[in-house]
Each structure stands twice: as C-alpha cells, then as structure tokens.
Amino acid sequence: MPDHRVREHPILSVEDHPTFEFSWQGQPLPAREGETIASALFANGVRIFGHHHKDGAPQGIFCANGQCAQCMVVADGLPVKSCMELVRPGMQVEPLSGLPVLPRVEGVPEMPPLDTIEVECLVIGGGPAGLSAAIELGKAGVRTLIVDDKHRLGGKLALQTHKFFGSMEDCYAGTRGIDIATRLEQDLRDYENVQVWLNTTALAVFSDRKVGVLQGQHYVVVQPHVLLVAAGAREKSLVFKGNALPGVYGAGAFQTLLNRDLVRPSERLFVVGGGNVGLIAGYHALQAGIEVVGLCEALADCSGYKVHKDKLARFGVLIYTSHTILSANGRAQVESVTIAQIDRNWRPLPGTEKSFACDTVLIAVGLDPVDEFTRKAKEFGLPVYAAGDAEEIAEASAAMFAGKIRGLEIAKMLGRDVGEIPPEWYRTNEILKSRPGAVVVEDIPEREDGVFPVLHCAQEIPCNPCTSVCSQGCIVVGGDDIRGLPEYVGDGCIGCEKCVAICPALAITLVDYRQDRAAPTVTIPYEFLGRTIHEGDVVTVLDTEGGILGNVEVTKVRSPKMADRAHLVKVKAPSEIARRIAGILAQEETVGEPLGHYVGRIQDDAMICRCERVTAGEIRALIRAGIRDMNDIKALTRAGMGACGAKTCTPIIKRLFREEGISPDQFVESTQRPLFVEVPLGVFAGVSPGERPEEATAVHATDVHEGGM
Ligand code: FES
C-alpha cells in the first residue's frame, strides 16, 4: 500500500505519533494515532469509501467536516462518518455499499431522565469567532459553555498555514492561523468559568428554548440564558457532470486532510473558484509540494484578494478567468477535468474546452453560513447572537474581531459591568469585513540606487503589518484606515528585511543597489516544499502577475526567526528587471490535451442531491410539471431526505427553480425541523452506538457539570 502521509512540510511540524493497525476490507493497514478513519484511508491510498445504495455509484469524501454524509463507512459493524470518527487499533472498517444494516436491539431501553444543565451563555463553535467571544465572556465572569464537534479547538484557524491579513493590533496580522488557534486556546484556559466540550455536536434548538447537544455519545440538554452561534460556514456545492465522483471535494476538506491531518490527499489538483478560499487552498497545496494544475473562475477576475491570486500566478499556477468547469472525468474517481471559456451570458464557448490530467478537483465556489441554530432560536424566543461566518461570510481576522465584540455585548446583556464597547471597534469590524477594492497599476520605483522595499500590492485590502514592523517609519498606508495602499516614503530604509518577512501575501521584495549598481540584490520571500532553494542555484524569477523575467543566481538563503519559517532568498539580478521581481517560479506550467467534445453546464444527469442521488433532470421535470413546493419534491424524489439533512442540495434546488424562471416568492422552501444533524436514535434513550440497552447507564448532570459551571 502506498503511504500518502506528509513527512516534511515547510511550515507544519511533523511529529512522530504512535502507529497501530486497523483493517480495511479485511486487509491490515497502518494508522497514526489521532487520525480520523477518512485520513487513515487517504493516507493508505483509499479514495473510494463505498457505493451508493440507489445506483452503485462510488462514494468518497466531500466536506471532511461532518456536514455531509458522503464519507460513511462501516466501522466495527456501525455506520459512521469517516471524517469525524477517530480510527482505533484493531478497528475493522468496511466500505458502506448499499444501505447499512441497523444494529440489532435486544429489548426496549428504559428512557432515563434527560441530563439538563443550565448555563448563562452557550457558544456553538470553537473557531476564531467562538474562541474570541468565549475569552471576553471568561474575563467578564459569565458562566459559559463552548461546544465544538472536533477533537481540538481552533476551527478553520487550525487549517491555515499562511500568515493572516488585517492589523497586528486587532487580529494577529502576520501570524499564521495555526499559531493564532494555539494562542487563543491558551488564553481561554485562564478562565475557569468557561467550560469547553470537544467532540460535542449541537443537534438542535427546541421550542422550549433548550439546545440538544451530543457530548461524545451522551445526549445532554443545555438551557442557556443566551446563545451565541459561531458555528462557521459550510461549503457550497456545484453542479457539473461528474460532480459526485470521488476526488471532487471542497477546498476546506482538502485543507483539513493536508494541514490538520498531515495526509497528502492529492498529487495533482485543479481548483474551481477564485475567491480567497480557492486561492489559499491552491497556495497550501503548493506549499506542500502538490502540483496545482490550474484554477478557473467564472468571473472576469478572481473575487479574492489580488495578492492571493498573484501569489499563485507568480509561483507558476495558470489562472483561467471567465472559465467554468464542464466536467470532472473518470470511471471510478477523478482522472481529469474539463473547463471552457464562457461568454457574457455564462454560456460555454464551443472550441474553448481544455482538459487537464489531475486526481482531485477542489470546489471553492463560496460558503453558506451555518445559520439554522440562529433562525430557530429567534423563532422560539431564545436570545441569540451570531458571529463570524455564521453571521456573515468574511475573513477569519474579521471573525475574531466580531467574536470579541459579541462576547462583550452578551456580557453586557447579562448584566456584567464591562464598560462601553468602543464605537471604533464596530468600524474596525466593518473594515476587516470589507471586500477588496479596485485594482490599480502597480507602482514600481524608478530609482537605481540605495536600498528600498518594492511593495507589489496594487489593491486596497484591510492589511498593514508592513507599516507596523518598519522601525524607520518608512512604510505608510494612504487613506483613513488600514485598507489604504502601502507606500514607501522618504529614504530611510536600512535594509532590515522585516517588511519582506512579515507580509502575509509574500508581496514585498527588497532591492539593494548599495554593493553593485548594475546587478543589485533582491530579497524574495519563499516558503515551498516542492523546490528547495540553495545558494548558487539558478532560479526563474517572475513579476507580480507571473510573467517570466529571466533566470538569476541565488546568492544567499536565510531563514531568520522574524520570517517565521519562511525563507528569505537573495538573488543577484540585472538592474532592468530587479525592481519588477516579485517571486521565484515554484512549479512549471502544465496543460493537458482537450477532450474534444462539448459538455453542457448543467446537464440533466448532474447530481443535485448527493445523499439520495437525485439528478437535475428529475427535479427539473417536476418543476416543469408545476410542482412549487420543495417538500413535494422531497416526498416524490427523496431529494433533501438524505443523511446530510438537505444542507448540501437545498441551495442547488433553489437555483434550479430560479433557472426555470420561478422566483423565490413563487415556491415554498422545505420545512426545517430538528434535528439539524443526524444522530443514532438510541442516544436519546441513553444507549451509546454499539451498546446494548441493558448496558446503558445514564449520565447525570453532575457528571458533565465538572469544571466550574
Ligand atoms: S444532498 Fe444530502 S439530502 Fe440532498
């Protein structure tokens, strides 16, 4: 069996974990302690986790976040989501082919009294927003419970190996997400009034204003005075031919497998979507030495930060704007992808199809807030706040700041004396959430003497750590706030390279003419595994947008502490290109051959409901027959009745209505009832999965009450 575990990474430390064996289809395989079943399978080269009961289609991972159910396997006789369940020594894992066999129940369990606890504030989600809020609640002495369905805190922060944007004062700009997660977690430990339940899934908000949570295998009812939903977002699905093939999955799933679980899930991938999520996922792949075959974006330009896009382009990734994906191709799993240019009406232009060999297609076409808890709490009159992506999709830096504000607002609402929340904090929050501004022409300095930074940053975004670290005060941002473009002013640069080291976009170089006017040195930040650079190497250098400038010699490679695991590579370059150098080619351009046939954008055989394998054609036929109620579509086709609780297909069914000319006020949305997450029914009777009813023991409130609640 091949081993796809990450053994080396430029940023993440790869620690030795104890290993053990589990079995897959009866064959022993190695696993590393702390791996989920999905990660252990991926690490052993297994991509197909089962076959659908309806049509036998191969199933693989999609969200890696417990939100869908495509990765179900049978572990020790029980169906489980392989992305959420840790693999154990000796565990016998089988593919889920068809419907799982329900465990045999010997008798009817006696329903124990429900364990109920009362807290002042329940926080759902231990990511950037939830952690920041819980710290403020901790400071204010509010009895708080924070629940998270993962086995560690941090949420998406724990997946982010890049340095953060924003400002150093407000949101740890210049620090890597993984390290911010650790810091917030440590800060939270100071507060005994905040209790953390990991591996705990919030299931529903009920009409009696209580929240049901599953702590491990134990069902507990939480009665909060106020609820804070910081549960983040789920990735949007996309409809195209082959969209349900194993190997097509969300960018977040990819980051989870690679950056959290240290599994190399792909050798060659293609990214669909040019927002920050797709651009960053592509960058994380490059960092780990995974080939990024290309990225396509339907808009005329990527909607993410230009500096993120430039970073990919200047390290060698081809970016296709005004292009859409036509199909993911392969018999049992992805073998290639086909894209095509689109016209102004979003129609693919025949003859522009291009295909690329790849094993993975990452879908990064946007996020939907996890807002079902907020909506139900409002409906039932439970005081509720939301923060981070669960409130509004924005950067994690904004989520942290919003969490801090919500924490204080809740403390105030609960009568704590936390003083006035500074009005400028609300403005800072808006700034951190703001969309990138217009792109301007890059300002390349004309001088050919002395030493100075070149700021390859041509779009207003909320970010200013370069101004904070410049001890000479030579870098300033224009305008009223941190969204202004950074500018080098005066002549005070001493060549300390701190700005090069801190820039989250790797968008600052330092040009030094002091030794040699004809061939200055240029310092370039670099943090990739694929191509390690040494003194004396000849490297290809590129301009900001990926244009090749030439080949130059490396004179020095340093990894100073201030660069935080990035390398500062010094090259000697002819003066005419030195100031335009922005990066070093990390990957060669790779383009596949066109398949030579046209595939429509939404075909009738494209999969809408992954759980129940219901196609666009089936749903479209019902809409055309006059059905205007999504509940009827569900009853007739089972679309929306699957294990994910309709979280994946609901937005796409709504889109199909729109495409058929039916506006939202002309159709009825599906009724949403608790539970929001699938759960073995036995837990409500105090029976853990795999346990017989007579063995069940009730968990009392006092058992889960420990820790200062
Ligand atoms: S995709 Fe899960 S119910 Fe439709």
Side-chain angles (χ1 to χ4, degrees):
M1 271 285 183
D3 183 2
H4 294 274
R5 288 184 179 85
V6 172
R7 299 283 171 204
E8 202 188 347
H9 193 279
I11 307 301
L12 297 163
S13 57
V14 183
E15 288 158 20
D16 275 341
H17 285 282
T19 56
F20 54 81
E21 277 190 350
F22 74 110
S23 74
W24 169 249
Q25 294 185 288
Q27 191 186 354
L29 294 179
R32 210 158 45 179
E33 196 174 273
E35 283 179 340
T36 62
I37 299 173
S39 300
L41 289 174
F42 258 81
N44 287 289
V46 178
R47 303 280 189 273
I48 300 172
F49 291 4
H51 293 86
H52 200 274
H53 62 89
K54 185 171 172 186
D55 57 6
Q59 304 286 289
I61 208 157
F62 180 66
C63 78
N65 193 27
Q67 295 287 328
C68 77
Q70 214 172 306
C71 67
M72 288 272 241
V73 294
V74 180
D76 289 338
L78 291 169
V80 294
K81 289 181 184 179
S82 63
C83 72
M84 299 299 283
E85 193 82 15
L86 294 184
V87 65
R88 294 186 300 274
M91 187 183 246
Q92 293 178 8
V93 186
E94 298 289 334
L96 175 59
S97 292
L99 288 170
V101 180
L102 286 176
R104 219 176 125 73
V105 176
E106 315 276 351
V108 181
E110 211 171 287
M111 209 61 184
L114 287 181
D115 301 313
T116 302
I117 66 161
E118 183 245 329
V119 294
E120 288 188 282
C121 182
L122 171 65
V123 181
I124 301 178
L131 279 175
S132 305
I135 290 169
E136 296 305 322
L137 291 162
K139 283 183 204 163
V142 173
R143 281 184 301 116
T144 302
L145 171 63
I146 178 166
V147 297
D148 193 283
D149 59 0
K150 308 293 183 309
H151 51 276
R152 63 156 294 186
L153 288 170
K156 288 279 185 270
L157 288 174
L159 314 180
Q160 308 297 0
T161 54
H162 61 281
K163 294 173 184 166
F164 266 43
F165 291 71
S167 73
M168 293 170 86
E169 303 76 43
D170 296 324
C171 53
Y172 305 95
T175 304
R176 298 181 192 276
I178 43 174
D179 301 323
I180 300 174
T182 307
R183 273 199 219 177
L184 293 178
E185 194 175 346
Q186 279 166 355
D187 288 352
L188 192 64
R189 287 214 191 105
D190 290 344
Y191 305 105
E192 286 189 355
N193 53 313
V194 180
Q195 195 174 15
V196 178
W197 288 1
L198 294 175
N199 298 312
T200 301
T201 308
L203 300 177
V205 177
F206 298 109
S207 55
D208 57 1
R209 296 188 283 279
K210 292 176 183 164
V211 182
V213 305
L214 191 63
Q215 189 203 29
Q217 305 295 352
H218 300 300
Y219 181 63
V220 182
V221 176
V222 183
Q223 192 171 3
H225 299 188
V226 57
L227 176 67
L228 173 63
V229 182
R234 59 177 65 92
E235 288 181 275
K236 287 185 179 166
S237 187
L238 192 63
V239 181
F240 54 88
K241 190 175 170 65
N243 65 338
L245 264 184
V248 177
Y249 50 83
F254 171 76
Q255 290 168 320
T256 301
L257 290 166
L258 178 63
N259 295 341
R260 188 194 70 185
D261 296 351
L262 292 170
V263 169
R264 200 179 155 89
S266 167
E267 295 305 319
R268 285 169 61 79
L269 63 81
F270 191 92
V271 184
V272 179
N276 279 345
V277 174
L279 295 169
I280 291 171
Y283 181 67
H284 288 169
L286 280 183
Q287 265 187 333
I290 293 169
E291 284 185 309
V292 183
V293 177
L295 178 148
C296 74
E297 163 60 52
L299 298 172
D301 202 354
C302 289
S303 59
Y305 291 173
K306 181 175 187 295
V307 285
H308 278 316
K309 176 186 140 192
D310 290 346
K311 203 160 54 168
L312 277 193
R314 69 173 172 267
F315 293 116
V317 177
L318 295 175
I319 293 179
Y320 298 90
T321 51
S322 299
H323 275 69
T324 191
I325 179 169
L326 295 183
S327 58
N329 318 302
R331 276 185 310 145
Q333 50 188 316
V334 171
E335 292 163 20
S336 68
V337 62
T338 304
I339 64 168
Q341 198 177 339
I342 49 177
D343 64 17
R344 274 189 300 176
N345 297 316
W346 306 78
R347 282 188 303 249
L349 291 165
T352 65
E353 300 89 348
K354 297 176 242 340
S355 294
F356 307 92
C358 61
D359 58 22
T360 302
V361 176
L362 292 193
I363 305 301
V365 291
L367 301 167
D368 283 325
V370 173
D371 60 359
E372 53 270 27
F373 297 95
T374 314
R375 284 190 278 115
K376 281 291 169 195
K378 281 185 182 157
E379 185 182 328
F380 299 140
L382 171 64
V384 62
Y385 293 74
D389 280 350
E391 180 189 25
E392 182 181 347
I393 306 298
E395 295 301 299
S397 44
M400 283 187 278
F401 207 79
K404 192 161 109 166
I405 294 176
R406 291 299 164 270
L408 286 172
E409 286 174 346
I410 292 169
K412 254 175 117 62
M413 179 215 155
L414 292 168
R416 301 304 198 281
D417 181 12
V418 289
E420 283 308 307
I421 301 169
E424 61 271 19
W425 282 21
Y426 290 94
R427 181 167 148 70
T428 302
N429 191 29
E430 289 308 310
I431 290 170
L432 290 173
K433 283 195 294 192
S434 54
R435 303 265 151 239
V439 172
V440 300
V441 178
E442 193 182 334
D443 186 16
I444 301 286
E446 287 181 2
R447 58 186 285 193
E448 295 190 347
D449 62 348
V451 58
F452 53 88
V454 180
L455 311 163
H456 302 274
C457 189
Q459 183 187 40
E460 293 193 343
I461 54 170
C463 185
N464 77 344
C466 52
T467 65
S468 305
V469 295
C470 181
S471 58
Q472 308 302 302
C474 294
I475 304 180
V476 295
V477 292
D480 301 337
D481 57 57
I482 63 167
R483 285 172 294 189
L485 281 177
E487 208 185 327
Y488 173 61
V489 291
D491 197 19
C493 178
I494 55 171
C496 70
E497 297 177 335
K498 283 185 188 159
C499 54
V500 183
I502 194 86
C503 177
L506 311 189
I508 301 181
T509 54
L510 190 87
V511 184
D512 191 347
Y513 281 93
R514 290 175 298 185
Q515 299 286 324
D516 189 338
R517 296 281 289 264
T521 60
V522 184
T523 306
I524 309 162
Y526 189 86
E527 50 181 36
F528 299 99
L529 184 67
R531 185 179 291 178
T532 315
I533 294 178
H534 304 99
E535 203 174 306
D537 286 354
V538 172
V539 293
T540 302
V541 285
L542 301 100
D543 66 17
T544 308
E545 298 191 345
I548 290 180
L549 295 171
N551 295 330
V552 297
E553 191 189 336
V554 175
T555 58
K556 198 167 192 173
V557 181
R558 298 198 306 130
S559 309
K561 194 157 178 272
M562 65 179 179
D564 185 15
R565 290 158 278 180
H567 306 299
L568 301 185
V569 179
K570 252 192 213 317
V571 299
K572 205 166 181 54
S575 182
E576 56 273 20
I577 64 167
R579 289 154 296 142
R580 289 167 51 217
I581 293 174
I584 297 170
L585 188 68
Q587 165 184 278
E588 302 299 334
E589 212 176 71
T590 315
V591 184
E593 289 298 308
L595 287 175
H597 66 269
Y598 173 80
V599 186
R601 190 156 62 98
I602 290 194
Q603 296 235 315
D604 276 358
D605 62 351
M607 204 51 66
I608 300 293
C609 179
R610 293 163 170 272
C611 296
E612 295 293 331
R613 304 273 307 168
V614 183
T615 63
E618 289 171 79
I619 296 173
R620 195 174 269 144
L622 292 176
I623 296 172
R624 288 183 182 166
I627 301 279
R628 294 291 178 269
D629 188 334
M630 283 173 67
N631 294 295
D632 292 344
I633 292 178
K634 184 172 170 179
L636 290 164
T637 66
R638 295 188 62 86
M641 208 180 274
C644 83
K647 294 180 203 111
T648 319
C649 57
T650 297
I652 315 179
I653 298 173
K654 289 190 202 167
R655 185 175 138 203
L656 278 184
F657 270 108
R658 282 201 305 276
E659 286 189 4
E660 293 299 311
I662 317 291
S663 60
D665 58 333
Q666 293 174 307
F667 66 86
V668 178
E669 285 197 33
S670 314
T671 311
Q672 204 173 31
R673 301 183 186 87
L675 310 161
F676 303 142
V677 181
E678 69 274 33
V679 57
L681 278 178
V683 300
F684 298 108
V687 182
S688 299
E691 181 185 22
R692 290 202 306 272
E694 61 270 22
E695 292 170 349
T697 47
V699 181
H700 298 290
T702 46
D703 297 329
V704 291
H705 217 80
E706 289 170 5
M709 295 304 304

